[in-house]
């Protein structure tokens, strides 16, 4: 009798457990098809979270790095990030100091009259590395004077370039602080033109070096391209420094610029003493005392004070009114 009662209790217990397992399995099969997962944990279950164990003062210390690791780290990264930044900054400063020129270069456009007489000093052409000098040769009337042959330089530190059948040549310096001569041959001129070229003065402590970016070299004679209507030689101020200063656009400090009205472009008028100095690309029709011209067609005239001048502009006569002071 007791055996039957124990057997009944066992069957009842196993039956309830089987039913619970069947119910759980059936609910999972209903929630997701075969081979698929809902991504959710079954009801009544929880996934344990991975919580790292807390460090304890009684835990043993980690083993020290091996000597081989320290040696490899020293060879791969001997400097810290901050030390590398400082080193790169110092290297950049050194590169700037090496690349930066010792002098400040000031390019300039100017003109000069070459003296061809015996005993005269040679004209000076100032150039610099990376700043080639362009030369244009003109005659006393301002007309271009073409080169007859290739220029010749006496130093490999200077290279000359020229355009055949033109009055233009270029001098290029490859080294600083060197000097040499350059010989130029012009068409129809019986004597060569010898120039002294320098790329800096080694004995000078000046921090500014002026170079002749464009130099108009004037030959004091009428060239093959001179116009028949050009001014006579006696009125051309070949060696007049004041005329040259006004022509270069850098008049004396005492000169006063005057206001002028009229349809004459690119014209500037100054009063210097009792004379007028007029700079223009147009042709002056009035009488003048002295004149000088540049290679680009700019003219300079000196004449007595007058409030009225007439010019030839595009084939017509145009008036210029001057406000005298």
């Amino acid at each position: 009798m007791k055996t039957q009662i124990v057997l009944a209790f066992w069957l009842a217990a196993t039956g309830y457990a089987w039913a619970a397992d069947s119910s759980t399995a059936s609910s999972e099969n209903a929630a997701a098809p075969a081979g698929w997962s809902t991504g959710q944990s079954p009801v009544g279950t929880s996934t344990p979270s991975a919580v790292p164990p807390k460090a304890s003062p009684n835990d043993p210390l980690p083993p020290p790095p091996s000597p081989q690791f320290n040696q490899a780290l020293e060879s791969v990264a001997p400097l810290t990030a901050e030390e590398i930044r400082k080193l790169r900054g110092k290297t950049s400063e050194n590169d700037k100091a090496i690349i930066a020129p010792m002098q400040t270069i000031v390019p300039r456009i100017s003109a000069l009259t070459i003296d061809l007489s015996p005993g005269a000093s040679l004209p000076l052409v100032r150039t610099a590395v990376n700043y080639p000098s362009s030369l244009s040769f003109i005659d006393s009337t301002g007309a271009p004077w073409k080169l007859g042959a290739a220029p010749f330089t006496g130093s490999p530190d200077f290279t000359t370039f020229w355009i055949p059948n033109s009055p233009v040549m270029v001098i290029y310096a490859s080294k600083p602080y060197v000097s040499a001569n350059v010989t130029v041959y012009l068409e129809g001129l019986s004597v060569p033109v010898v120039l002294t070229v320098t790329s800096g003065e080694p004995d000078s402590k000046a921090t500014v070096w002026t170079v002749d970016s464009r130099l108009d070299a004037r030959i004091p004679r009428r060239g093959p391209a001179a116009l028949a209507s050009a001014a006579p030689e006696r009125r051309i101020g070949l060696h007049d420094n004041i005329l040259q200063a006004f022509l270069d656009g850098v008049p004396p400090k005492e000169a006063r610029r005057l206001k002028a009205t009229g349809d004459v472009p690119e014209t500037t008028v100054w009063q210097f003493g009792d004379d007028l100095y007029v700079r223009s690309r147009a042709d002056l029709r009035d009488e003048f005392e002295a004149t000088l011209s540049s290679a680009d067609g700019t003219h300079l005239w000196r004449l007595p004070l007058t409030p009225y001048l007439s010019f030839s502009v595009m084939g017509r006569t145009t008036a210029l009114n001057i406000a005298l002071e």
Side-chain angles (χ1 to χ4, degrees):
M1 185 67 180
K2 292 181 179 180
T3 303
Q4 294 176 351
I5 294 174
V6 171
L7 180 60
F9 276 107
W10 181 81
L11 290 174
T14 55
Y16 281 118
W18 176 84
D21 294 340
S22 300
S23 175
T24 303
S26 62
S27 63
E28 289 181 355
N29 292 335
W36 292 79
S37 174
T38 61
Q40 298 178 354
S41 300
V43 179
T45 63
S46 60
T47 303
S49 59
V51 179
K54 295 183 179 181
S56 173
N58 298 325
D59 291 343
L61 296 176
S66 64
Q68 293 80 4
F69 174 80
N70 293 334
Q71 184 178 2
L73 182 62
E74 184 68 22
S75 61
V76 172
L79 302 177
T80 64
E82 184 62 26
E83 291 173 339
I84 293 175
R85 294 189 186 96
K86 291 182 179 179
L87 182 61
R88 291 185 61 187
K90 190 65 176 178
T91 303
S92 178
E93 293 179 2
N94 293 339
D95 292 340
K96 292 179 181 178
I98 294 174
I99 297 174
M102 297 297 294
Q103 292 179 321
T104 302
I105 304 301
V106 180
R108 183 182 178 185
I109 299 176
S110 57
L112 60 84
T113 299
I114 298 177
D115 191 351
L116 301 177
S117 60
S121 300
L122 298 181
L124 177 65
V125 180
R126 300 164 296 180
T127 185
V129 177
N130 299 329
Y131 290 86
S133 297
S134 298
L135 277 73
S136 297
F137 292 92
I138 58 177
D139 67 358
S140 59
T141 66
W145 199 321
K146 299 179 182 179
L147 278 72
F152 179 79
T153 176
S155 171
D157 299 328
F158 293 99
T159 305
T160 58
F161 305 89
W162 72 299
I163 303 176
N165 198 32
S166 79
V168 179
M169 64 170 291
V170 176
I171 301 176
Y172 177 79
S174 59
K175 289 184 180 180
Y177 307 112
V178 293
S179 299
N181 286 349
V182 174
T183 303
V184 182
Y185 303 93
L186 301 179
E187 286 186 358
L189 189 62
S190 58
V191 295
V193 178
V194 182
L195 309 171
T196 298
V197 185
T198 179
S199 60
E201 299 178 358
D203 298 331
S204 176
K205 297 182 180 180
T207 58
V208 177
W209 175 245
T210 302
V211 300
D212 297 310
S213 291
R214 195 196 85 193
L215 179 63
D216 297 342
R218 186 182 299 108
I219 307 301
R221 299 181 185 179
R222 294 177 67 91
L227 298 176
S229 59
E233 292 287 340
R234 67 179 184 275
R235 293 191 180 183
I236 300 176
L238 295 176
H239 303 285
D240 193 323
N241 295 331
I242 297 179
L243 286 178
Q244 187 65 62
F246 279 102
L247 182 61
D248 292 340
V250 286
K253 296 181 180 179
E254 297 80 6
R256 300 191 306 273
R257 185 170 178 174
L258 302 180
K259 183 179 180 180
T261 57
D263 193 13
V264 183
E266 301 181 66
T267 301
T268 309
V269 181
W270 293 274
Q271 180 178 347
F272 184 57
D274 296 331
D275 296 320
L276 281 183
Y277 289 82
V278 183
R279 185 174 184 260
S280 178
R281 291 179 59 86
D283 293 328
L284 180 66
R285 289 187 174 274
D286 296 322
E287 289 292 328
F288 56 87
E289 296 177 352
T291 184
L292 203 59
S293 301
S294 64
D296 67 334
T298 302
H299 309 285
L300 191 284
W301 299 276
R302 186 185 71 215
L303 61 159
L305 293 177
T306 177
Y308 178 88
L309 292 174
S310 59
F311 289 84
S312 177
V313 181
M314 301 297 291
R316 58 185 177 84
T317 301
T318 304
L320 185 70
N321 297 305
I322 303 172
L324 298 178
E325 296 181 357

